[in-house]
């Protein structure tokens, strides 16, 4: 083995045997001095038996992220093959869909790397030292694999601070793209890949948004609307759609996207969604469908209790707003609130509302955001479609 060798304890080895790709710092028994972070290392157990090759992090509590369980070089050819496999999967499940997640980190066996494509504009996030040190190579490989004219880095995310990495954003390849048009079904939206949230859009909800549009009728309410993507899908069948968004920049984007899509039924209201729902609940049931797509309320384990209260409150108010037979499409992107917990919260809210709730669908992220069996961290988005008789 040419790479530096790191030995791990029995607990860490057992974790690898169960299929999980992370080894925590507390399970590292011996590591060479002088490793800066970002190196490819060979991982062995206490008997020096080879287990995997992994990316090393010097600062994070996740010290090792497995890249391969074979004794093979992790070089340009290796990364190119992994990227090609990820691209092929998206083509298989989405066809020629131009807007898609191309790489979904550990779920694509490329830890610490996220890549979204909007046509010929590609946005990447290198979230750990290993991928950050290789971002120029990754940008070249993406240009070759996707024919991208522009590669943007959106490394202005807090998780990088846990790895000792600075927050940066900018153009890695090509010219500044300006607003990029993104389509979901018949809806048209402009995406700001440099100034918008995440990589410009929340592609993980794409299939859930289209599905929500199929339930739409009458008066529909889209809360935490951001740039109006759910509202645009609802507008195709609803008589009236109100999109509620607190941030003025996002609310302006929602209005522009509605105009671009010719969605004349969409009204965008700048308001706090909690307050708006409280006022609507006080008026009594009047909405045929409500969408709740809030930001993550639980950023860590310490915030779970407060998150539970927040999810219950917003769902309870939404249930009070719905007419008999109304539909609630409700989501959580908090990894620390698993699906079973979210279902408990929804049951508590339904009980307090004094209304039964039928589960029509349990959904997750779109197919270009695969989850890896045995790695629950890759399945963060939960979406329930409920009917309140």
């Amino acid at each position: 083995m040419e790479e530096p060798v790191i030995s791990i304890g029995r607990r860490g080895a057992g974790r690898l045997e169960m299929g999980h790709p992370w080894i925590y710092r507390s399970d590292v028994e011996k590591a060479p001095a002088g490793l800066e972070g970002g190196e490819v290392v060979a991982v062995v157990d206490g008997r020096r038996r080879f287990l995997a090759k992994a990316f090393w992090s010097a600062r994070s509590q996740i010290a090792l992220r497995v890249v391969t369980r074979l004794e093979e070089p992790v070089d340009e050819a290796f990364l190119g093959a992994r990227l090609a496999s990820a691209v092929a999967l998206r083509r298989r499940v989405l066809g020629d869909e131009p807007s898609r997640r191309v790489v979904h980190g550990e779920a694509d066996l490329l830890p610490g790397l996220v890549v979204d494509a909007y046509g010929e504009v590609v946005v990447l996030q290198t979230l750990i030292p290993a991928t950050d040190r290789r971002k120029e190579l990754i940008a070249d490989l993406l240009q070759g694999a996707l024919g991208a004219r522009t590669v943007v880095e959106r490394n202005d995310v807090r998780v990088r601070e846990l790895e000792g990495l600075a927050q940066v954003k900018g153009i890695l390849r090509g010219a500044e793209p300006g607003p990029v048009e993104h389509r979901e079904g018949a809806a048209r939206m402009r995406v700001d890949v440099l100034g918008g949230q995440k990589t410009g859009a929340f592609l993980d909800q794409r299939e859930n948004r289209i599905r929500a549009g199929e339930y739409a009728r009458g008066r529909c309410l889209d809360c935490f609307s951001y740039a109006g993507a759910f509202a645009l899908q609802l507008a195709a069948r609803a008589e009236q759609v109100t999109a509620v968004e607190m941030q003025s920049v996002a609310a302006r984007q929602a209005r522009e996207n509605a105009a671009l899509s010719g969605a004349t039924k969409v009204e965008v209201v700048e308001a706090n969604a909690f307050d708006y729902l409280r006022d609507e609940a006080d008026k009594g049931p009047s909405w045929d469908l409500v969408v709740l797509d809030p930001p993550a309320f639980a950023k860590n384990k310490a915030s779970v209790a407060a998150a539970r209260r927040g999810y219950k409150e917003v769902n309870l108010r939404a249930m009070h707003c719905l007419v008999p037979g109304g539909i609630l499409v409700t989501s959580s992107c908090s990894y620390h609130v698993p699906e079973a917990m979210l279902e408990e919260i929804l049951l508590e809210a339904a009980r307090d509302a004094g209304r039964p709730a039928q589960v029509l669908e349990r959904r997750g992220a779109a197919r270009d955001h695969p989850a890896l069996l045995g790695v629950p961290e890759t399945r963060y988005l939960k979406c329930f479609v409920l009917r309140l008789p």
Side-chain angles (χ1 to χ4, degrees), residues 38-61:
E39 296 89 351
V40 175
V41 299
V43 182
V44 300
D45 64 12
R47 299 180 185 179
R48 301 283 296 182
R49 291 180 300 186
F50 174 83
L51 300 176
K53 290 189 177 180
F55 289 147
W56 169 253
S57 289
R59 294 271 299 269
S60 171
Q61 289 303 306

Side-chain angles (χ1 to χ4, degrees), residues 62-300:
I62 304 173
L64 295 163
R65 298 173 190 258
V66 170
V67 187
T68 177
R69 295 171 189 265
L70 302 177
E71 293 195 58
E72 58 183 327
V74 179
D75 53 14
E76 180 176 345
F78 176 92
L79 294 174
R82 284 283 168 89
L83 285 172
S85 176
V87 170
L89 170 63
R90 275 65 185 184
R91 287 178 177 154
R92 183 173 184 177
V93 300
L94 297 180
D96 295 328
E97 171 63 47
S99 297
R100 61 206 183 279
R101 172 145 296 184
V102 179
V103 178
H104 194 46
E106 276 80 354
D108 280 301
L109 309 182
L110 286 167
L113 179 64
V114 172
V115 180
D116 286 344
Y118 303 94
E120 295 181 332
V121 177
V122 173
V123 186
L124 65 81
Q125 293 178 316
T126 50
L127 304 176
I128 60 176
T131 52
D132 199 59
R133 283 171 54 167
R134 294 163 176 80
K135 68 182 178 184
E136 296 294 337
L137 169 60
I138 292 169
D140 287 340
L141 292 172
L142 288 170
Q143 277 195 303
L146 300 172
R149 62 178 172 83
T150 300
V151 179
V152 174
E153 67 168 320
R154 284 299 305 270
N155 281 324
D156 52 338
V157 287
R158 278 188 161 186
V159 69
R160 281 170 56 92
E161 295 178 356
L162 300 175
E163 302 279 354
L165 300 173
Q167 295 191 33
V168 293
K169 63 179 178 179
I171 308 297
L172 292 176
R173 298 289 184 275
E176 186 169 334
V180 177
E181 187 168 308
H182 157 59
R183 287 179 176 266
E184 288 184 6
R188 299 170 62 191
M189 292 164 281
R190 289 197 176 97
V191 175
D192 184 354
V193 296
L194 277 170
Q197 293 187 27
K198 300 291 184 179
T199 66
F202 293 86
L203 297 176
D204 52 0
Q205 285 278 32
R206 180 183 59 247
E207 292 173 5
N208 295 332
R209 289 190 285 256
I210 292 172
R211 188 66 170 146
E214 296 173 4
Y215 286 100
R217 64 176 176 84
R219 300 181 72 229
C220 297
L221 179 61
D222 173 22
C223 295
F224 308 97
S225 185
Y226 185 48
F230 265 107
L232 295 181
Q233 297 299 327
L234 301 177
R237 298 190 182 194
E239 295 174 8
Q240 173 196 341
V241 180
T242 298
V244 180
E245 172 54 47
M246 185 170 63
Q247 298 181 13
S248 58
V249 172
R252 184 178 70 249
Q253 285 181 298
R255 294 187 185 99
E256 291 172 353
N257 288 334
L260 185 65
S261 296
T264 58
K265 301 174 185 177
V266 175
E267 175 193 19
V268 180
V269 176
E270 290 186 39
N272 180 295
F274 282 89
D275 296 338
Y276 190 91
L277 282 167
R278 179 196 60 215
D279 294 341
E280 289 299 306
D282 288 344
K283 296 175 185 177
S286 63
W287 296 92
D288 296 285
L289 183 147
V290 176
V291 171
L292 300 177
D293 184 23
F297 290 163
K299 299 290 188 182
N300 50 50

